[in-house]
């Protein structure tokens, strides 16, 4: 079994330079950390010809995991789900589970259930919807031959929310057998914004490290931040060496900033 | 004549999420402003199979302008020039003009002319080197059928330096006949860093506007910044309307920040 991946970024805003493709970098990091090898990132416009071609190309090459972002919203040019159905030669149908999710979300938000919004419940036949903890459009999980295609919204918070809650656990389960080690440190006296560049440099120390900060105290008055460090590797000892190296770097840099390490 | 473009981003650091692809966004914006339609951005690793495939694919489709970034440095895995020669079925040879540039640069910087550095003078037969005002590796301009392929370094300052000095003027010359209008405003009392988000929003108001700030005074003590706004359009009146809209927005936003417009 190979653990290859493609990322397909859909949207004209990326092709006119209006938006920097931070989604692709975020997903590439996550997939690498899970042990997948990202072979290609392809950015294409919201149009049938390109989307059908690229989805089919990924399936033909037997890429294991294909993640697309963009084109799941309610507007007329959000047609990724429809083009994906076409690429897989499947019907484009109302998915009952997706319909329940969409109806619930709209009720909860007090929104009217209009035709364009109902469209968000339509998917390729045989697909599974992925709940959206942030917005209204469910993600899509569909398998074709050896390939899993996951379509996510382009809004970063929605893309991340669906990925972390419903995609990451499954990809970890079916991915390579990696060892994960994690550590947490709690920092007093340095606001999260000042920790950001330190964390960013730490993230670049290894391709399979992920560092996340969780603010606990008051951002300015009494900053207290928990930093969670997470490393994956085929080899336990290697993972432990990596995490120690990164924790050492973080602790040194934070102390230089006048921060106190509580644990 | 169609004015299509592809951007090919080469480098593993992009595929493991270590680097966000800001080069592609910058080039996409520039190409759009010049009247080219960016159809695709493709990120691939530094390897022969992918590079040869993607360059050939672009030529086969008759894409007018193909710009690659990355893989022109002196290290063993910087092999874009060699793979490009292979993709075009051309010899990979020392280019005399490139050799002169490389030798001059090394002399000026007092660097020794080693074998890996000499490699930067090798190009596909029939290519033209593009001087690098920032670093050592010249860019490459090579034409095949209807397609112009331009290979640039991945380091943003080098990529931008070569593009603005040697690529942009030529692409404008052979590109669609656009009308350019420009205006400058000079701002007193707002540091450039505080103008950045305002300029960023202004850039997003139209796909064919470019805004650049030039600091003139002292950044903190007496900030004085010239802002240059630049719009392109097939239609003069449309370009003027666009630029007026954007200047209005900038002036209003800068005054809200307490800035003074000197001209």
């Amino acid at each position: 079994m190979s653990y290859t991946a493609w990322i397909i970024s859909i949207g004209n805003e990326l092709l006119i330079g209006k938006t920097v493709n931070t989604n692709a970098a975020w997903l590439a990091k996550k997939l690498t950390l899970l042990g997948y090898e990202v072979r290609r990132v392809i950015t294409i416009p919201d149009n049938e010809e390109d989307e059908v071609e690229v989805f089919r190309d990924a399936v033909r090459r037997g890429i294991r995991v294909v993640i697309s972002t963009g084109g799941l919203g309610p507007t007329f040019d959000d047609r990724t789900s429809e083009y994906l159905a076409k690429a897989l030669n499947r019907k484009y149908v109302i998915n009952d589970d997706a319909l329940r999710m969409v109806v619930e979300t709209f009720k909860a938000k007090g929104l009217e259930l209009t035709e364009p919004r109902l469209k968000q419940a339509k998917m390729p036949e045989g697909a599974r919807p992925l709940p959206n903890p942030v917005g209204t459009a469910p993600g899509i999980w569909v398998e074709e031959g050896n390939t899993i295609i996951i379509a996510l919204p382009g809004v970063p918070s929605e893309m991340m929310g669906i990925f972390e809650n419903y995609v990451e656990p499954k990809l970890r389960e079916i991915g390579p057998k990696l060892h994960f080690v994690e550590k947490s440190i709690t920092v007093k006296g340095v606001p999260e914004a000042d920790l950001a560049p330190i964390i960013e440099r730490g993230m670049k120390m290894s391709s399979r490290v992920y560092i996340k900060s969780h603010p606990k105290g008051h951002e300015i008055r009494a900053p207290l931040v928990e930093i969670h460090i997470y490393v994956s590797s085929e080899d336990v000892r290697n993972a432990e060496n990596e995490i120690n190296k990164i924790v050492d770097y973080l602790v040194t840099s934070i102390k230089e900033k006048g921060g106190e390490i509580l644990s």
Side-chain angles (χ1 to χ4, degrees), chain A:
Chain A
M1 177 67 77
S2 83
Y3 298 103
T4 53
W6 272 19
I7 296 167
I8 302 174
S9 305
I10 299 165
N12 294 308
E13 69 283 8
L14 296 162
L15 294 164
I16 60 170
K18 198 165 178 168
T19 307
V20 176
N21 198 350
T22 52
N23 278 351
W26 188 88
L27 284 168
K29 179 84 192 176
K30 283 284 190 180
L31 288 164
T32 301
L33 194 64
L34 288 163
Y36 294 83
E37 185 194 348
V38 180
R39 291 270 182 88
R40 201 166 279 198
V41 178
I42 307 174
T43 306
I44 49 174
D46 303 279
N47 78 45
E48 179 168 338
E49 199 188 332
D50 286 297
E51 293 191 37
V52 168
E53 180 204 319
V54 174
F55 280 125
R56 281 190 183 161
D57 192 17
V59 171
R60 190 180 51 76
R61 294 179 196 230
I63 301 299
R64 184 71 180 115
V65 173
V66 176
I67 300 186
S68 74
T69 58
L72 295 186
T75 67
F76 75 97
D77 59 349
D78 287 313
R79 296 174 72 175
T80 298
S81 180
E82 183 185 342
Y83 299 150
L84 177 56
K86 183 143 191 166
L88 304 178
N89 298 309
R90 301 200 192 184
K91 287 186 190 152
Y92 176 56
V93 294
I94 291 272
N95 178 296
D96 290 340
D97 293 332
L99 185 61
R100 260 191 302 276
M101 288 178 197
V102 171
V103 169
E104 255 173 49
T105 309
F106 284 123
K107 269 191 190 158
K109 298 191 189 234
L111 293 168
E112 211 182 324
L113 197 65
T114 58
E115 187 65 38
R117 285 178 181 148
L118 256 183
K119 196 188 68 174
Q120 299 182 320
K122 290 184 83 177
M123 299 190 171
E125 201 162 31
R128 276 187 303 119
L130 304 167
N132 186 331
V134 180
T136 60
I140 300 169
W141 177 293
V142 59
E143 302 185 16
E144 179 79 28
N146 183 46
T147 301
I148 298 165
I149 300 172
I150 299 151
L152 301 176
V155 178
S157 58
E158 300 187 24
M159 182 277 290
M160 294 176 190
I162 299 175
F163 187 90
E164 291 190 326
N165 287 290
Y166 304 101
V167 178
E168 197 166 15
K170 286 180 199 167
L171 293 186
R172 180 170 297 137
E173 199 181 305
I174 62 168
K177 292 300 151 260
L178 294 177
H179 298 277
F180 298 94
V181 293
E182 50 187 334
K183 281 195 180 169
S184 273
I185 55 180
T186 304
V187 178
K188 192 179 156 184
V190 185
E192 198 183 14
D194 291 340
L195 292 173
I198 296 173
I199 288 173
E200 205 183 318
R201 278 195 298 277
M203 288 269 275
K204 292 187 176 174
M205 290 175 70
S206 160
S207 67
R208 290 211 187 140
V209 60
Y210 201 82
I211 309 177
K212 205 167 174 173
S213 58
H214 306 275
K216 306 279 180 189
H218 182 282
E219 174 66 17
I220 305 301
R221 225 172 40 234
L224 195 67
V225 178
E226 187 191 344
I227 301 179
H228 187 210
I229 308 108
Y230 178 102
V231 169
S232 62
S233 172
E234 283 85 358
D235 179 75
V236 183
R237 188 147 321 167
N238 184 48
E240 281 169 355
N241 288 342
E242 285 281 294
I243 208 162
N244 288 336
K245 195 180 72 182
I246 289 156
V247 168
D248 281 352
Y249 160 76
L250 291 173
V251 166
T252 309
S253 308
I254 288 163
K255 284 182 177 164
E256 279 171 8
K257 280 259 176 200
E260 188 184 340
I261 308 292
L262 294 191
S263 63

